[in-house]
């Protein structure tokens, strides 16, 4: 194996150069860079766990989890449960996470059973499991038995709102924890710490016996099977773990964003996350935490900085278009690289 | 009998759902038939575009959106130069076909690099193509590309409007040779056109060239040993598919008579794939028969389900989400069935 952990490939170089150009042009346009830098830090912690959630499945050799919406819906469900009890602050967030983990394990188990049947076509199958899961949950949201009026349509009092405000519940609980300001740059220490703990937990998990077994499957499935590892069980565990992390990830995201978005909102959520980890240098194989952090930071920086520039150019759609092009071009590039390796 | 049921499980399931939906919707047969004919004309050719890639072992070609985009580019160009009527449609088709030939060539080459992961790659290519198209017409039009028609430009002078009126082309092909039976309108020319396309596809499959598609679909290595240039045949399959999709979108747009510039093509690939699968095709087996049966079954369900949802659950949205679920769920199910069969 070549030295994988810290090398920087062509796509990262392109992205970094692109970022530098963006930063310089933003500087010339008189956009406040300090605000942008603190914004990138928030967005790193906001999206980091969602990206981290791809790691277990990548390590098990299953590939990118395009079925991330399954995990996200578990998190949304968890948060809605906490909201239903009108829990506030840290308690509300903690209970959301707790519920999310429970739902994550439950749905993750079912998801993993389905995925075990899709040997060899996991990526495309997970995409469509994610896609078809969303309308199913939308039907649930219409009929959901929640009672807190803040979550329901104001008229009629039945059916969940597409966008539930978290103001007064647990909006920004992590963002505002130990938030310090150095030279005008706000650093959300508590939020970043939360992300770091999650990363650490995943790292520790892959040091345990079962974690090592999962890594072995990712390296060589045939061999691990012969070595007496229960391949299907390990894969299931990695899928469940991915789903649970996805659920926690959306909780962290929502408390920072300030809203829970239901219905079709999580539809395309998997693609930015996948793109982020690929920008970090992963090519669909074993993933490291370094790749998660670097990739998320670069990806989110592009977005944060291109929004004010696009507004300055009076074409606000430009930021979103550029983001989509980067997202999909990187995923496509990774597909080519993997194809070449196998050939 | 049992064997027949097992073999045609998917179409039978759809027939059952359609009958149930029809009963609960309480719609009149006349309305449904008119709507059916309309939808058959709109979507028929798009479904036919999927057949050859499936036979050639490329799976579902989600990149037919690119063909649709080429058609939209063609229309936007003739709208820009204000060429209306039949001449306009002919020029739009010509531009679209030329563009989709090149697009198909590029997509085919891309897919040759990712053998075994074609489907997920075509999805990503579809998304990427959409973003590039948006970049061209939302940002490039009016800045780099000179605008000739002030009616289709946004008031800021940059970008095409979201909705473009296609007054000059509305239903001009549909109106040819319309026969009325009672209150049911039958546009004979359009139906003939679709049948001609079906015959062309059927002819292509059964000529020596078609044998090549089938040969590489069955076993790529054996086909290579037999002296078939596998890569080239795969590219041909995608080119044919993309061009067919381009024709399909031309017909779709002239039928609608309005073009939502940035969203008209979205989901066309999902509905086409779900249709052909509903008609009994699988990931590696498809025929014109499957395509036609599928269009009828899938769109029948599409027409009746919102009303059925309204009557059963007092909520139109339930039916809408249900049909979206059916579209994605059919594809997910087909992928799962396929991988269980392979083992």
């Amino acid at each position: 194996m070549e030295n994988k952990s810290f090398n920087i490939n062509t796509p990262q170089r392109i992205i970094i150069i692109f970022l530098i150009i963006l930063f310089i042009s933003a500087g010339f346009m008189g956009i406040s860079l300090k605000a942008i830098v603190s914004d990138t830090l928030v967005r790193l912690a906001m999206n980091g766990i969602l990206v981290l959630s791809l790691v277990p499945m990548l390590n098990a050799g299953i590939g990118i989890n395009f079925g991330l919406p399954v995990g996200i819906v578990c998190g949304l469900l968890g948060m809605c449960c906490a909201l239903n009890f009108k829990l506030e602050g840290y308690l509300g967030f903690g209970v959301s996470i707790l519920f999310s983990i429970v739902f994550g394990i439950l749905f993750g188990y079912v998801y993993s059973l389905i995925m075990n049947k899709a040997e060899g076509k996991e990526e495309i199958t997970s995409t469509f499991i994610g896609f078809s899961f969303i309308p199913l949950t939308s039907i649930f949201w219409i009929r959901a038995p929640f009672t807190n009026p803040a979550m329901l349509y104001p008229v009629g009092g039945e059916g969940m709102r597409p966008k539930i405000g978290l103001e007064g519940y647990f909006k920004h609980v992590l963002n505002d924890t130990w938030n310090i300001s150095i030279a005008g740059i706000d650093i959300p220490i508590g939020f970043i710490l939360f992300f770091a703990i999650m990363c650490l937990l995943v790292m520790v998990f892959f040091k345990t016996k079962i974690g090592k077994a999962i890594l072995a499957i990712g390296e060589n499935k045939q061999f691990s099977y012969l070595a007496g590892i229960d391949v299907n069980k390990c894969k299931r565990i990695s899928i469940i773990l991915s789903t649970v992390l996805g659920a926690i990830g959306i909780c962290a995201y929502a408390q920072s964003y300030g809203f829970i978005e239901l219905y079709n909102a999580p539809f395309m959520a998997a693609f930015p996350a996948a793109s982020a980890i690929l920008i970090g240098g992963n090519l669909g194989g074993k993933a490291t935490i370094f790749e998660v952090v670097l990739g998320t930071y670069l990806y989110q920086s592009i977005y944060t900085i291109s929004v004010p520039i696009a507004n300055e150019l009076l074409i606000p759609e430009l930021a979103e278009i550029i983001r989509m092009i980067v997202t999909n071009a990187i995923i496509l590039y990774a597909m080519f690289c993997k194809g070449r390796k196998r050939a | 009998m049992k064997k027949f049921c097992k073999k045609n499980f998917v179409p039978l399931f759809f027939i059952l759902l359609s009958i149930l939906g029809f009963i609960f919707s309480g719609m009149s047969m006349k309305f449904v038939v008119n709507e059916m004919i309309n939808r058959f004309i709109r979507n028929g050719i798009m479904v036919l575009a999927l057949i050859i890639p499936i036979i050639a072992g490329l799976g579902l070609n989600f990149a037919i959106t690119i063909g649709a985009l080429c058609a939209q580019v063609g229309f936007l160009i003739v709208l820009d130069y204000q060429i209306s009527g039949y001449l306009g449609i002919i020029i739009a088709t010509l531009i679209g076909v030329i563009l989709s030939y090149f697009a198909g060539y590029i997509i085919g080459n891309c897919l040759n690099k990712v053998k075994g992961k074609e489907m997920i790659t075509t999805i990503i290519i579809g998304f990427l193509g959409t973003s590039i198209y948006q970049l061209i017409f939302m940002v490039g039009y009016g800045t780099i590309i000179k605008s000739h028609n002030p009616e289709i430009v946004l008031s800021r002078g940059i970008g095409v409007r979201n909705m473009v009126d296609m007054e000059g082309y509305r239903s001009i092909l549909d109106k040819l040779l319309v026969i009325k039976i009672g209150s049911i309108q039958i546009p004979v020319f359009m139906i003939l056109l679709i049948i001609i396309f079906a015959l062309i596809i059927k002819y292509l499959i059964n000529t020596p060239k078609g044998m090549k598609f089938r040969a590489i679909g069955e076993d790529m290595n054996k086909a290579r040993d037999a002296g078939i240039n596998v890569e080239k045949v795969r590219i041909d399959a995608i080119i044919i598919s993309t061009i067919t999709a381009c024709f399909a979108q031309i017909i779709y747009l002239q039928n609608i008579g309005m073009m939502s510039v940035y969203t008209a093509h979205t989901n066309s690939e999902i509905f086409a794939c779900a249709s052909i699968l509903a008609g009994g095709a699988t990931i590696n087996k498809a025929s014109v028969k499957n395509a036609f049966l599928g269009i009828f079954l899938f769109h029948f369900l599409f027409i009746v389900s919102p009303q059925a949802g309204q009557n059963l659950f007092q909520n139109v949205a339930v039916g809408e989400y249900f049909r979206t679920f059916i579209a994605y769920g059919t594809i997910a199910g087909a992928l799962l069935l396929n991988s269980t069969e392979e083992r």
Side-chain angles (χ1 to χ4, degrees), chain B residues 267-312:
Chain B
N267 283 344
S268 58
E269 84 280 28
I270 300 296
F271 295 153
C273 291
S275 300
I276 200 165
L277 294 172
T282 63
I283 307 297
N284 43 30
K285 218 173 88 236
S287 66
V288 174
K289 198 179 74 192
N290 295 140
F292 281 170
L293 180 64
I295 299 167
F296 278 106
L297 291 177
F298 185 74
H299 284 283
F300 193 93
L301 200 61
F302 237 71
I303 296 163
V304 295
S305 62
Q307 196 57 42
Q310 170 72 42
N311 292 348
L312 281 177

Short mmCIF file of all heavy atoms in Angstrom, two decimals, chain B residues 267-312:
data_model
loop_
_atom_site.label_atom_id
_atom_site.label_comp_id
_atom_site.label_asym_id
_atom_site.label_seq_id
_atom_site.Cartn_x
_atom_site.Cartn_y
_atom_site.Cartn_z
N ASN B 267 -36.62 14.41 -13.07
CA ASN B 267 -37.47 13.25 -12.81
C ASN B 267 -37.90 12.51 -14.06
O ASN B 267 -38.51 11.45 -13.94
CB ASN B 267 -38.73 13.62 -12.01
CG ASN B 267 -38.41 13.82 -10.56
OD1 ASN B 267 -37.35 13.40 -10.10
ND2 ASN B 267 -39.28 14.46 -9.83
N SER B 268 -37.60 13.05 -15.26
CA SER B 268 -38.02 12.31 -16.44
C SER B 268 -37.35 10.94 -16.45
O SER B 268 -37.96 9.95 -16.84
CB SER B 268 -37.66 13.08 -17.71
OG SER B 268 -36.27 13.32 -17.75
N GLU B 269 -36.10 10.87 -15.97
CA GLU B 269 -35.39 9.60 -15.99
C GLU B 269 -35.97 8.63 -14.97
O GLU B 269 -36.13 7.45 -15.25
CB GLU B 269 -33.89 9.82 -15.80
CG GLU B 269 -33.36 9.95 -14.37
CD GLU B 269 -33.57 11.33 -13.77
OE1 GLU B 269 -34.53 12.02 -14.15
OE2 GLU B 269 -32.79 11.71 -12.87
N ILE B 270 -36.36 9.17 -13.80
CA ILE B 270 -36.91 8.29 -12.76
C ILE B 270 -38.23 7.69 -13.23
O ILE B 270 -38.46 6.48 -13.12
CB ILE B 270 -37.15 9.10 -11.46
CG1 ILE B 270 -35.84 9.71 -10.96
CG2 ILE B 270 -37.79 8.23 -10.39
CD1 ILE B 270 -34.81 8.73 -10.54
N PHE B 271 -39.10 8.54 -13.81
CA PHE B 271 -40.39 8.03 -14.24
C PHE B 271 -40.24 7.06 -15.39
O PHE B 271 -40.95 6.05 -15.45
CB PHE B 271 -41.32 9.19 -14.61
CG PHE B 271 -41.65 10.07 -13.44
CD1 PHE B 271 -41.98 11.40 -13.60
CD2 PHE B 271 -41.63 9.55 -12.15
CE1 PHE B 271 -42.27 12.20 -12.51
CE2 PHE B 271 -41.92 10.34 -11.05
CZ PHE B 271 -42.24 11.67 -11.23
N ALA B 272 -39.30 7.35 -16.29
CA ALA B 272 -39.09 6.44 -17.41
C ALA B 272 -38.61 5.09 -16.90
O ALA B 272 -39.11 4.03 -17.30
CB ALA B 272 -38.08 7.03 -18.39
N CYS B 273 -37.64 5.10 -15.98
CA CYS B 273 -37.10 3.84 -15.45
C CYS B 273 -38.18 3.08 -14.70
O CYS B 273 -38.34 1.87 -14.88
CB CYS B 273 -35.93 4.11 -14.51
SG CYS B 273 -34.49 4.72 -15.37
N ALA B 274 -38.93 3.79 -13.86
CA ALA B 274 -39.98 3.11 -13.10
C ALA B 274 -41.01 2.53 -14.06
O ALA B 274 -41.51 1.43 -13.84
CB ALA B 274 -40.64 4.09 -12.14
N SER B 275 -41.30 3.25 -15.15
CA SER B 275 -42.29 2.74 -16.11
C SER B 275 -41.84 1.43 -16.73
O SER B 275 -42.59 0.46 -16.74
CB SER B 275 -42.51 3.74 -17.24
OG SER B 275 -42.96 4.95 -16.76
N ILE B 276 -40.61 1.43 -17.22
CA ILE B 276 -40.18 0.22 -17.93
C ILE B 276 -40.10 -0.96 -16.97
O ILE B 276 -40.41 -2.10 -17.33
CB ILE B 276 -38.86 0.46 -18.71
CG1 ILE B 276 -38.72 -0.60 -19.79
CG2 ILE B 276 -37.66 0.46 -17.82
CD1 ILE B 276 -37.69 -0.27 -20.83
N LEU B 277 -39.73 -0.69 -15.72
CA LEU B 277 -39.66 -1.78 -14.74
C LEU B 277 -41.06 -2.26 -14.39
O LEU B 277 -41.28 -3.46 -14.22
CB LEU B 277 -38.93 -1.31 -13.48
CG LEU B 277 -37.46 -0.97 -13.67
CD1 LEU B 277 -36.89 -0.33 -12.42
CD2 LEU B 277 -36.66 -2.21 -14.01
N ALA B 278 -42.00 -1.32 -14.31
CA ALA B 278 -43.38 -1.71 -14.03
C ALA B 278 -43.92 -2.62 -15.13
O ALA B 278 -44.75 -3.48 -14.89
CB ALA B 278 -44.26 -0.48 -13.90
N GLY B 279 -43.41 -2.43 -16.34
CA GLY B 279 -43.85 -3.25 -17.45
C GLY B 279 -43.18 -4.61 -17.49
O GLY B 279 -43.36 -5.35 -18.45
N GLY B 280 -42.40 -4.93 -16.49
CA GLY B 280 -41.82 -6.27 -16.41
C GLY B 280 -40.38 -6.36 -16.85
O GLY B 280 -39.83 -7.46 -16.90
N ALA B 281 -39.74 -5.23 -17.18
CA ALA B 281 -38.33 -5.29 -17.52
C ALA B 281 -37.51 -5.48 -16.24
O ALA B 281 -38.01 -5.25 -15.14
CB ALA B 281 -37.90 -4.00 -18.21
N THR B 282 -36.27 -5.93 -16.39
CA THR B 282 -35.37 -5.99 -15.24
C THR B 282 -34.14 -5.16 -15.57
O THR B 282 -34.10 -4.49 -16.60
CB THR B 282 -34.94 -7.43 -14.93
OG1 THR B 282 -34.22 -7.92 -16.05
CG2 THR B 282 -36.14 -8.30 -14.66
N ILE B 283 -33.13 -5.24 -14.69
CA ILE B 283 -31.94 -4.43 -14.92
C ILE B 283 -31.17 -4.92 -16.15
O ILE B 283 -30.39 -4.18 -16.73
CB ILE B 283 -31.02 -4.48 -13.67
CG1 ILE B 283 -31.80 -4.10 -12.43
CG2 ILE B 283 -29.81 -3.60 -13.81
CD1 ILE B 283 -32.33 -2.71 -12.41
N ASN B 284 -31.38 -6.18 -16.54
CA ASN B 284 -30.63 -6.65 -17.71
C ASN B 284 -31.51 -7.27 -18.80
O ASN B 284 -31.01 -7.96 -19.68
CB ASN B 284 -29.54 -7.65 -17.29
CG ASN B 284 -30.06 -8.61 -16.26
OD1 ASN B 284 -31.25 -8.92 -16.25
ND2 ASN B 284 -29.19 -9.06 -15.39
N LYS B 285 -32.80 -7.03 -18.71
CA LYS B 285 -33.68 -7.58 -19.75
C LYS B 285 -34.81 -6.60 -20.01
O LYS B 285 -35.49 -6.17 -19.08
CB LYS B 285 -34.25 -8.92 -19.28
CG LYS B 285 -34.37 -9.94 -20.39
CD LYS B 285 -34.79 -11.28 -19.83
CE LYS B 285 -36.28 -11.40 -19.77
NZ LYS B 285 -36.85 -11.70 -18.48
N ALA B 286 -34.99 -6.22 -21.27
CA ALA B 286 -36.07 -5.28 -21.57
C ALA B 286 -36.49 -5.45 -23.01
O ALA B 286 -35.71 -5.89 -23.86
CB ALA B 286 -35.61 -3.84 -21.33
N SER B 287 -37.75 -5.11 -23.28
CA SER B 287 -38.22 -5.16 -24.66
C SER B 287 -39.21 -4.02 -24.87
O SER B 287 -39.60 -3.35 -23.92
CB SER B 287 -38.91 -6.50 -24.94
OG SER B 287 -40.07 -6.58 -24.15
N VAL B 288 -39.58 -3.81 -26.13
CA VAL B 288 -40.53 -2.77 -26.45
C VAL B 288 -41.86 -3.05 -25.76
O VAL B 288 -42.54 -2.13 -25.28
CB VAL B 288 -40.71 -2.69 -27.98
CG1 VAL B 288 -41.82 -1.72 -28.34
CG2 VAL B 288 -39.41 -2.27 -28.64
N LYS B 289 -42.20 -4.34 -25.67
CA LYS B 289 -43.44 -4.73 -25.00
C LYS B 289 -43.45 -4.24 -23.55
O LYS B 289 -44.42 -3.64 -23.08
CB LYS B 289 -43.56 -6.25 -25.04
CG LYS B 289 -44.95 -6.78 -24.77
CD LYS B 289 -44.96 -8.30 -24.85
CE LYS B 289 -44.29 -8.88 -23.64
NZ LYS B 289 -43.99 -10.30 -23.74
N ASN B 290 -42.33 -4.47 -22.84
CA ASN B 290 -42.22 -4.01 -21.45
C ASN B 290 -42.44 -2.51 -21.38
O ASN B 290 -43.14 -2.02 -20.49
CB ASN B 290 -40.84 -4.30 -20.87
CG ASN B 290 -40.55 -5.77 -20.76
OD1 ASN B 290 -39.44 -6.22 -21.02
ND2 ASN B 290 -41.54 -6.54 -20.40
N ALA B 291 -41.83 -1.79 -22.33
CA ALA B 291 -41.90 -0.33 -22.29
C ALA B 291 -43.35 0.13 -22.42
O ALA B 291 -43.83 0.92 -21.62
CB ALA B 291 -41.05 0.26 -23.41
N PHE B 292 -44.07 -0.41 -23.42
CA PHE B 292 -45.44 0.05 -23.65
C PHE B 292 -46.36 -0.34 -22.50
O PHE B 292 -47.15 0.48 -22.01
CB PHE B 292 -45.96 -0.49 -24.98
CG PHE B 292 -45.46 0.31 -26.16
CD1 PHE B 292 -45.65 -0.12 -27.45
CD2 PHE B 292 -44.81 1.52 -25.95
CE1 PHE B 292 -45.19 0.62 -28.53
CE2 PHE B 292 -44.34 2.26 -27.01
CZ PHE B 292 -44.53 1.81 -28.30
N LEU B 293 -46.26 -1.59 -22.06
CA LEU B 293 -47.09 -2.03 -20.94
C LEU B 293 -46.80 -1.16 -19.72
O LEU B 293 -47.71 -0.71 -19.02
CB LEU B 293 -46.79 -3.51 -20.64
CG LEU B 293 -47.59 -4.11 -19.49
CD1 LEU B 293 -49.07 -4.12 -19.82
CD2 LEU B 293 -47.11 -5.52 -19.18
N GLY B 294 -45.51 -0.91 -19.51
CA GLY B 294 -45.09 -0.13 -18.35
C GLY B 294 -45.64 1.28 -18.35
O GLY B 294 -46.10 1.76 -17.32
N ILE B 295 -45.60 1.93 -19.52
CA ILE B 295 -46.13 3.30 -19.56
C ILE B 295 -47.58 3.31 -19.12
O ILE B 295 -48.00 4.14 -18.31
CB ILE B 295 -46.03 3.89 -20.98
CG1 ILE B 295 -44.58 3.95 -21.44
CG2 ILE B 295 -46.61 5.27 -21.03
CD1 ILE B 295 -44.45 4.20 -22.90
N PHE B 296 -48.35 2.35 -19.65
CA PHE B 296 -49.77 2.33 -19.30
C PHE B 296 -49.97 2.10 -17.82
O PHE B 296 -50.70 2.83 -17.16
CB PHE B 296 -50.51 1.26 -20.11
CG PHE B 296 -50.87 1.75 -21.47
CD1 PHE B 296 -50.19 1.32 -22.59
CD2 PHE B 296 -51.88 2.68 -21.62
CE1 PHE B 296 -50.51 1.81 -23.84
CE2 PHE B 296 -52.20 3.17 -22.87
CZ PHE B 296 -51.52 2.73 -23.98
N LEU B 297 -49.29 1.10 -17.27
CA LEU B 297 -49.51 0.76 -15.87
C LEU B 297 -49.06 1.89 -14.95
O LEU B 297 -49.78 2.33 -14.06
CB LEU B 297 -48.77 -0.53 -15.52
CG LEU B 297 -49.33 -1.78 -16.17
CD1 LEU B 297 -48.48 -2.97 -15.81
CD2 LEU B 297 -50.76 -1.99 -15.71
N PHE B 298 -47.85 2.38 -15.20
CA PHE B 298 -47.28 3.37 -14.29
C PHE B 298 -48.06 4.67 -14.32
O PHE B 298 -48.40 5.24 -13.29
CB PHE B 298 -45.81 3.61 -14.66
CG PHE B 298 -45.11 4.50 -13.70
CD1 PHE B 298 -44.74 4.05 -12.45
CD2 PHE B 298 -44.82 5.80 -14.03
CE1 PHE B 298 -44.11 4.87 -11.57
CE2 PHE B 298 -44.18 6.64 -13.15
CZ PHE B 298 -43.82 6.16 -11.91
N HIS B 299 -48.39 5.12 -15.53
CA HIS B 299 -49.08 6.40 -15.62
C HIS B 299 -50.54 6.30 -15.21
O HIS B 299 -51.11 7.26 -14.73
CB HIS B 299 -48.90 7.01 -17.00
CG HIS B 299 -47.54 7.58 -17.17
ND1 HIS B 299 -47.18 8.78 -16.63
CD2 HIS B 299 -46.42 7.10 -17.75
CE1 HIS B 299 -45.91 9.02 -16.89
NE2 HIS B 299 -45.43 8.01 -17.57
N PHE B 300 -51.11 5.13 -15.38
CA PHE B 300 -52.47 4.92 -14.87
C PHE B 300 -52.47 5.19 -13.37
O PHE B 300 -53.29 5.94 -12.84
CB PHE B 300 -52.92 3.49 -15.16
CG PHE B 300 -54.39 3.28 -14.96
CD1 PHE B 300 -55.25 3.41 -16.03
CD2 PHE B 300 -54.90 2.96 -13.72
CE1 PHE B 300 -56.61 3.23 -15.85
CE2 PHE B 300 -56.26 2.79 -13.54
CZ PHE B 300 -57.12 2.92 -14.61
N LEU B 301 -51.51 4.58 -12.70
CA LEU B 301 -51.38 4.76 -11.25
C LEU B 301 -51.14 6.23 -10.91
O LEU B 301 -51.67 6.76 -9.93
CB LEU B 301 -50.23 3.90 -10.75
CG LEU B 301 -50.22 3.59 -9.27
CD1 LEU B 301 -51.46 2.83 -8.90
CD2 LEU B 301 -49.00 2.79 -8.91
N PHE B 302 -50.34 6.87 -11.76
CA PHE B 302 -50.01 8.27 -11.52
C PHE B 302 -51.24 9.16 -11.61
O PHE B 302 -51.37 10.12 -10.87
CB PHE B 302 -48.98 8.71 -12.57
CG PHE B 302 -47.75 9.23 -11.94
CD1 PHE B 302 -46.89 8.36 -11.31
CD2 PHE B 302 -47.45 10.57 -11.95
CE1 PHE B 302 -45.75 8.82 -10.70
CE2 PHE B 302 -46.31 11.04 -11.34
CZ PHE B 302 -45.46 10.17 -10.73
N ILE B 303 -52.12 8.84 -12.55
CA ILE B 303 -53.31 9.68 -12.73
C ILE B 303 -54.26 9.50 -11.56
O ILE B 303 -54.80 10.47 -11.04
CB ILE B 303 -54.00 9.32 -14.07
CG1 ILE B 303 -53.08 9.64 -15.24
CG2 ILE B 303 -55.31 10.06 -14.21
CD1 ILE B 303 -53.49 8.98 -16.53
N VAL B 304 -54.46 8.25 -11.15
CA VAL B 304 -55.52 8.02 -10.16
C VAL B 304 -55.08 8.23 -8.72
O VAL B 304 -55.91 8.51 -7.86
CB VAL B 304 -56.15 6.60 -10.31
CG1 VAL B 304 -56.84 6.48 -11.64
CG2 VAL B 304 -55.13 5.51 -10.11
N SER B 305 -53.76 8.13 -8.43
CA SER B 305 -53.40 8.07 -7.00
C SER B 305 -53.67 9.34 -6.19
O SER B 305 -54.09 9.21 -5.04
CB SER B 305 -51.97 7.57 -6.82
OG SER B 305 -51.07 8.44 -7.40
N PRO B 306 -53.48 10.58 -6.72
CA PRO B 306 -53.80 11.72 -5.85
C PRO B 306 -55.27 11.74 -5.43
O PRO B 306 -55.59 11.96 -4.27
CB PRO B 306 -53.47 12.94 -6.73
CG PRO B 306 -52.55 12.44 -7.74
CD PRO B 306 -52.92 11.03 -7.99
N GLN B 307 -56.15 11.46 -6.40
CA GLN B 307 -57.58 11.48 -6.09
C GLN B 307 -57.93 10.35 -5.13
O GLN B 307 -58.71 10.54 -4.20
CB GLN B 307 -58.37 11.36 -7.40
CG GLN B 307 -59.83 11.74 -7.31
CD GLN B 307 -60.02 13.15 -6.79
OE1 GLN B 307 -59.30 14.06 -7.18
NE2 GLN B 307 -60.97 13.34 -5.87
N ALA B 308 -57.29 9.19 -5.33
CA ALA B 308 -57.53 8.07 -4.43
C ALA B 308 -57.07 8.43 -3.02
O ALA B 308 -57.74 8.12 -2.04
CB ALA B 308 -56.80 6.82 -4.93
N GLY B 309 -55.93 9.12 -2.93
CA GLY B 309 -55.42 9.55 -1.63
C GLY B 309 -56.39 10.51 -0.97
O GLY B 309 -56.67 10.42 0.22
N GLN B 310 -56.95 11.40 -1.79
CA GLN B 310 -57.93 12.36 -1.28
C GLN B 310 -59.14 11.64 -0.70
O GLN B 310 -59.60 11.94 0.40
CB GLN B 310 -58.35 13.30 -2.42
CG GLN B 310 -59.52 14.20 -2.12
CD GLN B 310 -59.14 15.30 -1.15
OE1 GLN B 310 -58.08 15.90 -1.26
NE2 GLN B 310 -60.01 15.54 -0.19
N ASN B 311 -59.62 10.64 -1.44
CA ASN B 311 -60.83 9.95 -0.99
C ASN B 311 -60.57 9.05 0.21
O ASN B 311 -61.41 8.90 1.08
CB ASN B 311 -61.42 9.12 -2.14
CG ASN B 311 -61.97 10.02 -3.22
OD1 ASN B 311 -62.12 11.23 -3.02
ND2 ASN B 311 -62.27 9.46 -4.38
N LEU B 312 -59.38 8.43 0.25
CA LEU B 312 -59.11 7.48 1.33
C LEU B 312 -58.66 8.19 2.60
O LEU B 312 -59.04 7.81 3.70
CB LEU B 312 -58.03 6.49 0.90
CG LEU B 312 -58.46 5.33 0.01
CD1 LEU B 312 -57.26 4.52 -0.38
CD2 LEU B 312 -59.47 4.46 0.72
#
